[in-house]
Amino acid sequence: MKIGYPCINYSVPCRGNKTFRFASYAEDRLIETVGKNIGCLLTILEYNAAHGILFFRITSDLVPFASHPVCTFDWQAHFSMELGTVGDFIREHNMRISMHPDQFVLINALDADIVARTITELEYHARVLDSLGLDGSAKIQIHIGGVYGNRASSLSRFGQNYRLLHPSVRQRLVIENDDRAYTVADCLKVSEITGIPVLFDVFHHEVNGGGQPVAEVISRVAATWKKTDGIPMVDYSSQEPRVRKGNHAARLDPRHFLIFLNASQPFDLDIMLEIKEKEAAAITALRIAGRDKRLLT
DNA sequence: AATGGTCAAGTCAGC
DNA sequence: GCTGACTTGACCATT
C-alpha cells in the first residue's frame, strides 16, 4: 500500500503547477514555466521520498497549453534530460504516479470537437508519463463524462469513443465514479464492456453511491485491475464539517480514515488523499496506517 | 505593492 | 441567467 496526495505540496518553496494567461503565450515563456515546473516536480518528489510518501498525482499544468494548437514547441525533446532525471528518481524510489485531467476531458461528449480536444489532451498526459519512462501502471484517471439528458446512450457512447483512443492512452486510462452523475455501479458496467479498470472514489461513493457497502465495492472494483495495471488505486476523502455536502475535508479525519482502512481489508490499495492539506494529510495517514503491520509493507 | 477582474477548454445543480 | 464545484486560486492589468 502506498499513500499519496495530488499536485501541490505546501511545504516546499516552489509550485510545480505554474501557468500563465493564454493572451501572454510565448515560446520563451512556455520554456521558462515548464523548466521551473519540472524542477519543482523533482523537489516535491524528493520531499515525498524523505517522508515515505510513495504515491503522487502529477498536475495537468506541468506543460501549460500542451494540447492547444498554439503550442507547437517540442517540449518532450527539449526537456528529455530533465524528464528522464525525474523518471529515474521515480523508478529508483519505487513510486506510483497518476494524473487526473480536468473537467474539459469528456470522452462521451456529443460534440465531435470536444471529443477531439479530449483525445489530444489525453495524449498529452500519456506523453508526460511516457517521457518519464513509466509503464501502464501510471494511470490517467477521468470520469465517464456528461449525462446529456440520456444516461444509457451517454454510457454506451463512452464505450464507442473509447475505441478511438491511442494504445498509449488506453493502457493507462481508468474511470472514476463521480459525486453526481455516474456511480461506481455505472463505472463497473462500462468496465465490463471496455475492460477499463475502475478507480474507486470513496467520498464520491458516500455522496453518490446508492449505499452499497465499501468492502463489497472494493472487491468488485479490485477485480477490474489487471496485473499490468498495478495495484488498484482509490481516491479517499471525507466530508468537510459544516459546509455543503460534497466538499472535501481540509484535514484528514483519523477516525473516518481508520474505518476505511479496516473496510478495505484484505485488499492492497494505493490511496490518493484528496484532502486540502495535501502532504500533511499524507504524513498523518502514513502514521495511522503504519500502526497496522498488515498495511504498510 | 495592493487590488480586483478574469482566466483554453464543459457540465450541471442550486440559487 | 449566474455562480460554484470539480484535483487547485493564480495571473496580470491597473492603480
Side-chain angles (χ1 to χ4, degrees), chain A residues 52-272:
Chain A
I53 301 170
L54 298 178
F55 189 17
F56 186 66
R57 180 186 298 166
I58 295 177
T59 174
S60 298
D61 280 332
L62 189 73
V63 184
F65 307 106
S67 71
H68 192 282
V70 76
C71 179
T72 54
F73 182 69
D74 189 351
W75 54 268
Q76 268 185 293
H78 190 272
F79 289 106
S80 65
M81 193 97 103
E82 290 85 347
L83 290 163
T85 301
V86 173
D88 289 345
F89 188 87
I90 290 167
R91 273 175 281 104
E92 278 162 19
H93 289 84
N94 190 28
M95 289 174 163
R96 190 85 186 273
I97 295 295
S98 68
M99 296 185 82
H100 192 340
D102 59 28
Q103 62 269 32
F104 312 109
V105 165
L106 294 158
I107 298 249
N108 74 346
L110 288 163
D111 181 341
D113 291 340
I114 294 175
V115 176
R117 280 195 291 273
T118 290
I119 291 172
T120 315
E121 177 73 355
L122 287 173
E123 286 174 353
Y124 150 64
H125 283 77
R127 284 212 307 279
V128 169
L129 299 170
D130 282 340
S131 299
L132 295 172
L134 303 178
D135 64 17
S137 70
K139 292 304 186 189
I140 302 171
Q141 61 184 94
I142 59 168
H143 298 292
I144 291 176
V147 175
Y148 307 104
N150 187 336
R151 300 175 60 80
S153 70
S154 293
L155 276 172
S156 78
R157 202 166 46 254
F158 184 99
Q160 309 270 310
N161 291 344
Y162 177 71
R163 285 184 273 167
L164 304 173
L165 299 172
H166 193 272
S168 74
V169 172
R170 237 187 314 185
Q171 68 158 345
R172 295 196 167 106
L173 206 65
V174 298
I175 46 172
E176 174 195 349
N177 56 305
D178 65 74
D179 61 352
R180 48 179 59 148
Y182 294 108
T183 63
V184 70
D186 293 322
C187 292
L188 286 165
K189 226 177 294 174
V190 172
S191 177
E192 267 178 44
I193 296 160
T194 57
I196 190 169
V198 176
L199 191 155
F200 178 43
D201 187 308
V202 181
F203 182 44
H204 290 165
H205 182 69
E206 276 181 21
V207 177
N208 174 39
Q212 202 185 2
V214 165
E216 272 175 40
V217 174
I218 290 174
S219 76
R220 295 212 46 204
V221 158
T224 66
W225 292 67
K226 300 180 297 295
K227 190 114 189 155
T228 50
D229 295 316
I231 288 166
M233 294 177 177
V234 298
D235 282 357
Y236 170 85
S237 189
S238 63
Q239 173 68 39
E240 173 69 7
R242 294 177 294 280
V243 298
R244 192 192 69 93
K245 193 177 166 192
N247 280 20
H248 290 221
R251 312 187 54 190
L252 188 83
D253 177 345
R255 209 171 131 261
H256 187 276
F257 184 61
L258 200 54
I259 290 168
F260 168 70
L261 284 182
N262 286 326
S264 74
Q265 291 298 311
F267 291 96
D268 191 11
L269 306 171
D270 285 344
I271 304 175
M272 176 59 60

